[in-house]
Amino acid sequence: MDCSQGLNNMPSGRSAEEMSKIGRRFQSGKKASESGRRGGIASGESKRKQKTMKEMLDYLLEKEVVNKSTGEKVTSLEAMMSAIVRKAIGGHVESCKFVRSTIGQDPVTKIQEIDPVEIIDDTGKKTK
């Protein structure tokens, strides 16, 4: 630290007074316990919200909608998949890739299934 900066300037660029207002990085005793408890509560709330979002999405995907062209009732998930298949049939490349990978026809997966690599260690033992 340069002496011309003065004693009040901390390496972080904050004065000693500012640093004392911020508080210690690590707390001890009752204060630390209370901070940890509040953090745990906030974490639990966040996890519950995420679960709720997943449950809501599951609910919405199972909800029935009416197909405008046929008039039949289908789930939102069925309507989505139908739309993706229609786009794939129309030549939309990303939809084609999605359908292909969803039904397990991804080329990388097929290559690995057809031609597994054999590894021979120093003892001559073969492994896959």
Side-chain angles (χ1 to χ4, degrees):
M1 180 158 100
D2 185 13
C3 292
S4 64
Q5 291 177 327
L7 296 175
N8 286 340
N9 290 333
M10 302 297 286
S12 65
R14 295 186 174 128
S15 69
E17 186 177 315
E18 289 175 314
M19 293 301 287
S20 68
K21 287 180 183 177
I22 293 172
R24 295 184 187 143
R25 184 173 186 168
F26 299 104
Q27 300 169 350
S28 62
K30 197 172 186 180
K31 217 174 186 183
S33 155
E34 179 62 24
S35 294
R37 188 181 73 76
R38 284 194 309 258
I41 290 169
S43 173
E45 287 174 3
S46 174
K47 287 179 183 177
R48 279 190 294 281
K49 283 181 184 177
Q50 288 175 353
K51 182 179 179 186
T52 302
M53 286 171 42
K54 182 189 178 307
E55 289 172 347
M56 180 59 74
L57 189 54
D58 286 340
Y59 166 77
L60 291 172
L61 289 173
E62 290 300 319
K63 195 172 181 178
E64 283 190 346
V65 293
V66 177
N67 184 330
K68 290 180 183 177
S69 59
T70 64
E72 75 175 307
K73 289 184 178 180
V74 295
T75 66
S76 298
L77 181 59
E78 290 170 327
M80 286 172 46
M81 293 298 109
S82 182
I84 290 171
V85 169
R86 280 194 306 277
K87 284 180 87 172
I89 291 169
H92 188 259
V93 176
E94 289 301 314
S95 297
C96 291
K97 288 179 182 179
F98 175 79
V99 170
R100 181 187 66 202
S101 66
T102 302
I103 63 172
Q105 298 294 317
D106 200 2
V108 174
T109 305
K110 282 296 179 188
I111 291 171
Q112 290 171 351
E113 289 174 4
I114 294 169
D115 189 20
V117 177
E118 289 185 324
I119 300 171
I120 302 173
D121 64 11
D122 294 339
T123 62
K125 184 180 177 183
K126 292 182 181 180
T127 59
K128 291 186 179 184

